[in-house]
Amino acid sequence: MSAKRGFASDNNAGVHTRVMEALLSANGGHVLAYGDDEFTEAAEARFREQFGEGIEVFFVFGGTGANVTGLAAITRPHEAIVCAETAHINVDECGAPERFAGCKLLALATTDGKLTPAEVEPLLARAGDQHHVQPRVVSISQATELGTVYTDAEIKALADFARTRGMLLHVDGARIANAAAHLGVSLRELTTEAGVDVLSFGGTKNGMMYGEAVVFFDAGRARDFKFTRKQGAQLPSKMRFIAAQFDALLAEDLWLQNAAHANRMARLLASELERIPRVKITRRVEANAVFALIPREQVASIQKRFFFYVWNEETSEVRLMCSFDTTEGDVLELVSVIKESVG
Amino acid sequence: MSAKRGFASDNNAGVHTRVMEALLSANGGHVLAYGDDEFTEAAEARFREQFGEGIEVFFVFGGTGANVTGLAAITRPHEAIVCAETAHINVDECGAPERFAGCKLLALATTDGKLTPAEVEPLLARAGDQHHVQPRVVSISQATELGTVYTDAEIKALADFARTRGMLLHVDGARIANAAAHLGVSLRELTTEAGVDVLSFGGTKNGMMYGEAVVFFDAGRARDFKFTRKQGAQLPSKMRFIAAQFDALLAEDLWLQNAAHANRMARLLASELERIPRVKITRRVEANAVFALIPREQVASIQKRFFFYVWNEETSEVRLMCSFDTTEGDVLELVSVIKESVG
Amino acid sequence: MSAKRGFASDNNAGVHTRVMEALLSANGGHVLAYGDDEFTEAAEARFREQFGEGIEVFFVFGGTGANVTGLAAITRPHEAIVCAETAHINVDECGAPERFAGCKLLALATTDGKLTPAEVEPLLARAGDQHHVQPRVVSISQATELGTVYTDAEIKALADFARTRGMLLHVDGARIANAAAHLGVSLRELTTEAGVDVLSFGGTKNGMMYGEAVVFFDAGRARDFKFTRKQGAQLPSKMRFIAAQFDALLAEDLWLQNAAHANRMARLLASELERIPRVKITRRVEANAVFALIPREQVASIQKRFFFYVWNEETSEVRLMCSFDTTEGDVLELVSVIKESVG
Amino acid sequence: MSAKRGFASDNNAGVHTRVMEALLSANGGHVLAYGDDEFTEAAEARFREQFGEGIEVFFVFGGTGANVTGLAAITRPHEAIVCAETAHINVDECGAPERFAGCKLLALATTDGKLTPAEVEPLLARAGDQHHVQPRVVSISQATELGTVYTDAEIKALADFARTRGMLLHVDGARIANAAAHLGVSLRELTTEAGVDVLSFGGTKNGMMYGEAVVFFDAGRARDFKFTRKQGAQLPSKMRFIAAQFDALLAEDLWLQNAAHANRMARLLASELERIPRVKITRRVEANAVFALIPREQVASIQKRFFFYVWNEETSEVRLMCSFDTTEGDVLELVSVIKESVG
């Protein structure tokens, strides 16, 4: 399937040219390992530009690693993590949070992948009762696994709620760039200023080869994180290569351009699909995902031309993800293939 | 310190040119994530060429991740892992094995970083007694953290011992390439044919940017490993980029050339240092490490020119690591700096 | 509140006289610790009488301990345990299963606390997919936390389903005696013959001071359990005192008499309450629990006389538990207090 | 072997008469479960009498449970627990601390089972280095597994050392009563005033049927312990029966009388054995253990009359434990059997 582009996932894409150039540039000579190098220093400075001087940032290998180490850093095993039933940490990480943090996840059914304070509230009824896990963290995905986006006001409401209940707000931001692009707000407004406590900041899905970042907005909570990262097997030895990628991604707003482009392609795709009578868009298109009902009999033949996943076998709802490298041509070709198939 | 080479660690080096070229080549178009791609298939075939058709191989992000997932796959938490006191899993992984596998490590003091069956034997005295952890795995480092190498006969002896005692043999092969280069034997002789059960095969220290492999020599033990890898946050999404690196490393014996070169530089360094009266080589130089006593007062000034670590503060024993990219010029310059310093 | 009886829980009761006598009798001289004694041997024989010669039984301190060690023995951390949302392991053990076994619990909403194969089935849709935890155990409570009872046929159906899907059936039998008494079947019919794999057999709620048993119906699965029990801090040193209690409980069917009595008291309570117009029985009364709606304003005043818990604050549904030592007088007095209060 | 007394372990003894009477007395009527009862309140008051008003005390089922929950409460998984190589937590708990707390144990070789600040000091060399576990707790056994006792001054020295290094002092006091009896100091002098942070206070080996206590000397550290206890499966439901036992043990100094008696029997045994030419006492007799070399050929025949364990097979060193119920007659009979055997 190489040299071709599909709609299966934004991690099916490769590496953005400027990121690749950064990797090449970082390859001269020796530097100290594990982050004690100039590349890491520079990349950390980029994060402070985006999120403010008070943050602490740590680079890790992958998205599951970012989530589980970040969550473990702010919980004890008898505490619970509240999340949406659709959350990546709940369904797509093979129980990594439970195993590494020891915590129970309390997953709430939602219609759009988003949580509200009112939904979390009832879970606190048993606070202080030794028989029950104690909700300590609200973890949200931004953008969600359903392609929806929390506004900065919604995040602030959750953060305020958490704070008044002695809880913390964690954001799985594997696609936070897409959320920021959609909202037209800065990363700082969406996190630091909204009151987020810990953020997994995604690199891989937005044009990097590998590498994510864990951002702590209160440096005090980051005090022991270097040990948690190492114990979680998420400390890269040749750290400069993750740092260099982040440096490239955050420089000159490449992160935003990539995300905005992917979102734009998703909107284009949705608007084109809406014109096809037998196809129905099922969810708001806010980030880079389009969910649509496609007649079951046609799915397999369309997949032969462009790969994508069926999200819900029962309803024949499919998920179409756009990437930083998705082209208008890709979109129009997919639309034409679908149109042709479903007639 | 960039654009310069030191002797602090083989992970201070960058990426070998051919590996970097492989990364560039792998960057066209979309491929499925998580290993369901042609690059991964090709790299796996390379591993089978080296280790035999019966193996199963899995790529992971890093060395600690390779060790802890490989060990967790073959233990239950009440079982113990026997290793040398100097083992990376015992001292350099911040307790990751205990946390992820739940197991106790039983660490034995050694003179040269190597274990023998006779040393492991007494730990089995309490087999079957419910009060005590049950030794299940012997884990050795090849080459060891002290720069020494197990011969294939020594590994076979440990594997045979393990087998007769209902135990398994795990090899932390972050530097197995250096061991094979030193011994002049194939990877297969050193592992498959010697009776190894699970191997962490190192890529990063031998010219890759990131990426290690976990090799199971009995496919049955690998049955659930894909879940253990994911739960251990060691499943790379853009897998093709690790696969492409391994493909380059294993093709045309680049792995062996890199390791042999690093070993050669270590031998050159040792033989030059031996001529300096106030410097004393302290351990056998078999892989790419040279350990030497250097007068305490001179260490800091030498470190200003070439970075390296003091291994033992008390005795002023230093560790000098050579890499695939260490040049004769680097070695001779270091020797000349030392000579000058110590007089 | 001592020297009085309430309806809060069957663990508010004390110790049955014959159990207490057994404790006194067991107190002469020294015996080996940790189960290597004649009392333990005798109690194990009693279990084999009840469950068959092929079982292995292990005594532990408490109910949570029985569940978590039994579940950990038959799972690996990437595997999931399917249970009812109301299951004790899901809501009343403060996350002990997740922490000790490392596993995720997949909790299903039910109307009566009971699971069926058809409800479990959809959770297997992602079997084999490395991103998702792999359902390995169905765990049911018998009797359930809602006072309902699985028939032996229903258990057999679940066991058969589990078997064909490569899963195992675990029973939290903290109140299995009450279930057997309700059904009028033997423990063997309800477990061994129905195809149960692992059972937590409750002693404490049925007249013992402390002590539960973990029963394995396939001895092979019990091979390493003594280590799991010890590592789970559930190995009593003065084991004879748990063994002597179980001996007394299983001798001359004391277990069954106690349970049958508690059930009878529950039925009496339910039938009396049904006559009170403003009180409504909400769930089938099969074991020793009665759930009823009592007007909210009256609850506090009734609780002053007899303690019990409000199960659902919103609906003012209360839970009334009967014990082996509940008397008809207690029941009638409670009924009269309620009648008087609600008018 | 019942109705007889041996020297295998102090947990081979039964239950002291006054403790048994307390169990009988506690058996009337219903009380709330899980510690919300008058018995628990009374027993907690007894602990405050002994240790001071500022403590928090929690009852648990067993000794391993007391240690692992107490240690987990004051560590995070990347932190290490420093202990003697002979410590119960290191060799006799089947890896329970590693599994439950996730922590690594750093075990130091000792001659007498005791640690000093000077021995712990070197383990702090890597403080702050992310590759290494971070020593957080010094855990000592009082009395030690070798029958030796820390003076209050020695404990104070360790506590002071710990404090200045940001560490905490944990005491496994399964036999702290024997230590206090030996030293003739109060429990308060030995713990609260010496600066201990967390104590496992032993009940079972000193005349109770089951039950241990975890004492926190800084209530702040106990804040979440009720959850840790429950999650660790160490929350007894019929709590009154542990509480009543502790009440009896702490009332009228029964704890001290029992321990002093056992110690006295050990001294008698040692002084009698010293007169036998071919028997050699190998360790200081401070608590209730006597270690002695007995000619190998005679061990088995002596064991037929009185059970005890061989501590060191190589040297034929045996361990002889005295209990609260060991009589002078038992001691003299054992001595006579040994004398007869070794000639």
Side-chain angles (χ1 to χ4, degrees), chain C residues 102-114:
Chain C
C103 291
K104 192 179 190 73
L105 268 58
L106 300 175
L108 292 167
T110 71
T111 53
D112 58 0
K114 290 165 61 178

PDB file of all heavy atoms in Angstrom, chain C residues 102-114:
ATOM      1  N   GLY C 102      -3.821  -6.719  37.952  1.00  0.00           N
ATOM      2  CA  GLY C 102      -3.402  -5.872  36.837  1.00  0.00           C
ATOM      3  C   GLY C 102      -4.434  -5.814  35.721  1.00  0.00           C
ATOM      4  O   GLY C 102      -4.259  -5.103  34.738  1.00  0.00           O
ATOM      5  N   CYS C 103      -5.512  -6.577  35.873  1.00  0.00           N
ATOM      6  CA  CYS C 103      -6.512  -6.742  34.817  1.00  0.00           C
ATOM      7  C   CYS C 103      -7.544  -5.619  34.810  1.00  0.00           C
ATOM      8  O   CYS C 103      -7.811  -5.012  35.836  1.00  0.00           O
ATOM      9  CB  CYS C 103      -7.292  -8.028  35.068  1.00  0.00           C
ATOM     10  SG  CYS C 103      -6.313  -9.502  34.831  1.00  0.00           S
ATOM     11  N   LYS C 104      -8.146  -5.442  33.661  1.00  0.00           N
ATOM     12  CA  LYS C 104      -9.299  -4.561  33.539  1.00  0.00           C
ATOM     13  C   LYS C 104     -10.557  -5.375  33.799  1.00  0.00           C
ATOM     14  O   LYS C 104     -10.657  -6.533  33.402  1.00  0.00           O
ATOM     15  CB  LYS C 104      -9.345  -3.998  32.116  1.00  0.00           C
ATOM     16  CG  LYS C 104     -10.321  -2.867  31.937  1.00  0.00           C
ATOM     17  CD  LYS C 104     -10.296  -2.339  30.505  1.00  0.00           C
ATOM     18  CE  LYS C 104     -11.083  -1.053  30.393  1.00  0.00           C
ATOM     19  NZ  LYS C 104     -10.393   0.086  31.010  1.00  0.00           N
ATOM     20  N   LEU C 105     -11.518  -4.751  34.474  1.00  0.00           N
ATOM     21  CA  LEU C 105     -12.829  -5.366  34.641  1.00  0.00           C
ATOM     22  C   LEU C 105     -13.763  -4.781  33.594  1.00  0.00           C
ATOM     23  O   LEU C 105     -13.817  -3.554  33.412  1.00  0.00           O
ATOM     24  CB  LEU C 105     -13.379  -5.069  36.043  1.00  0.00           C
ATOM     25  CG  LEU C 105     -13.069  -6.108  37.134  1.00  0.00           C
ATOM     26  CD1 LEU C 105     -11.567  -6.293  37.289  1.00  0.00           C
ATOM     27  CD2 LEU C 105     -13.674  -5.713  38.463  1.00  0.00           C
ATOM     28  N   LEU C 106     -14.475  -5.626  32.902  1.00  0.00           N
ATOM     29  CA  LEU C 106     -15.490  -5.176  31.954  1.00  0.00           C
ATOM     30  C   LEU C 106     -16.839  -5.425  32.597  1.00  0.00           C
ATOM     31  O   LEU C 106     -17.269  -6.580  32.732  1.00  0.00           O
ATOM     32  CB  LEU C 106     -15.358  -5.929  30.633  1.00  0.00           C
ATOM     33  CG  LEU C 106     -14.005  -5.755  29.921  1.00  0.00           C
ATOM     34  CD1 LEU C 106     -13.935  -6.643  28.673  1.00  0.00           C
ATOM     35  CD2 LEU C 106     -13.766  -4.294  29.536  1.00  0.00           C
ATOM     36  N   ALA C 107     -17.476  -4.363  33.047  1.00  0.00           N
ATOM     37  CA  ALA C 107     -18.684  -4.499  33.856  1.00  0.00           C
ATOM     38  C   ALA C 107     -19.916  -4.261  33.004  1.00  0.00           C
ATOM     39  O   ALA C 107     -20.017  -3.253  32.301  1.00  0.00           O
ATOM     40  CB  ALA C 107     -18.649  -3.519  35.016  1.00  0.00           C
ATOM     41  N   LEU C 108     -20.864  -5.163  33.101  1.00  0.00           N
ATOM     42  CA  LEU C 108     -22.088  -5.086  32.310  1.00  0.00           C
ATOM     43  C   LEU C 108     -23.271  -4.680  33.184  1.00  0.00           C
ATOM     44  O   LEU C 108     -23.445  -5.211  34.288  1.00  0.00           O
ATOM     45  CB  LEU C 108     -22.386  -6.453  31.691  1.00  0.00           C
ATOM     46  CG  LEU C 108     -21.392  -6.907  30.621  1.00  0.00           C
ATOM     47  CD1 LEU C 108     -21.583  -8.398  30.317  1.00  0.00           C
ATOM     48  CD2 LEU C 108     -21.600  -6.090  29.344  1.00  0.00           C
ATOM     49  N   ALA C 109     -24.069  -3.766  32.685  1.00  0.00           N
ATOM     50  CA  ALA C 109     -25.291  -3.389  33.393  1.00  0.00           C
ATOM     51  C   ALA C 109     -26.263  -4.570  33.352  1.00  0.00           C
ATOM     52  O   ALA C 109     -26.367  -5.258  32.335  1.00  0.00           O
ATOM     53  CB  ALA C 109     -25.921  -2.168  32.731  1.00  0.00           C
ATOM     54  N   THR C 110     -26.946  -4.815  34.460  1.00  0.00           N
ATOM     55  CA  THR C 110     -27.925  -5.903  34.509  1.00  0.00           C
ATOM     56  C   THR C 110     -29.157  -5.398  35.245  1.00  0.00           C
ATOM     57  O   THR C 110     -29.093  -4.377  35.942  1.00  0.00           O
ATOM     58  CB  THR C 110     -27.410  -7.128  35.299  1.00  0.00           C
ATOM     59  OG1 THR C 110     -27.362  -6.769  36.691  1.00  0.00           O
ATOM     60  CG2 THR C 110     -26.035  -7.553  34.839  1.00  0.00           C
ATOM     61  N   THR C 111     -30.255  -6.114  35.129  1.00  0.00           N
ATOM     62  CA  THR C 111     -31.436  -5.717  35.903  1.00  0.00           C
ATOM     63  C   THR C 111     -31.462  -6.424  37.254  1.00  0.00           C
ATOM     64  O   THR C 111     -31.971  -5.887  38.222  1.00  0.00           O
ATOM     65  CB  THR C 111     -32.734  -6.067  35.150  1.00  0.00           C
ATOM     66  OG1 THR C 111     -32.671  -7.464  34.803  1.00  0.00           O
ATOM     67  CG2 THR C 111     -32.867  -5.235  33.889  1.00  0.00           C
ATOM     68  N   ASP C 112     -30.896  -7.627  37.300  1.00  0.00           N
ATOM     69  CA  ASP C 112     -31.020  -8.425  38.525  1.00  0.00           C
ATOM     70  C   ASP C 112     -29.677  -8.905  39.068  1.00  0.00           C
ATOM     71  O   ASP C 112     -29.636  -9.836  39.866  1.00  0.00           O
ATOM     72  CB  ASP C 112     -31.928  -9.628  38.260  1.00  0.00           C
ATOM     73  CG  ASP C 112     -31.389 -10.493  37.120  1.00  0.00           C
ATOM     74  OD1 ASP C 112     -30.324 -10.150  36.548  1.00  0.00           O
ATOM     75  OD2 ASP C 112     -32.009 -11.523  36.807  1.00  0.00           O
ATOM     76  N   GLY C 113     -28.590  -8.308  38.613  1.00  0.00           N
ATOM     77  CA  GLY C 113     -27.276  -8.693  39.116  1.00  0.00           C
ATOM     78  C   GLY C 113     -26.695  -9.936  38.469  1.00  0.00           C
ATOM     79  O   GLY C 113     -25.620 -10.377  38.825  1.00  0.00           O
ATOM     80  N   LYS C 114     -27.409 -10.489  37.501  1.00  0.00           N
ATOM     81  CA  LYS C 114     -26.985 -11.741  36.877  1.00  0.00           C
ATOM     82  C   LYS C 114     -26.574 -11.542  35.424  1.00  0.00           C
ATOM     83  O   LYS C 114     -27.141 -10.737  34.708  1.00  0.00           O
ATOM     84  CB  LYS C 114     -28.132 -12.766  36.954  1.00  0.00           C
ATOM     85  CG  LYS C 114     -28.400 -13.263  38.368  1.00  0.00           C
ATOM     86  CD  LYS C 114     -29.729 -13.986  38.526  1.00  0.00           C
ATOM     87  CE  LYS C 114     -29.832 -15.216  37.670  1.00  0.00           C
ATOM     88  NZ  LYS C 114     -31.126 -15.918  37.899  1.00  0.00           N
TER      89      LYS C 114
END
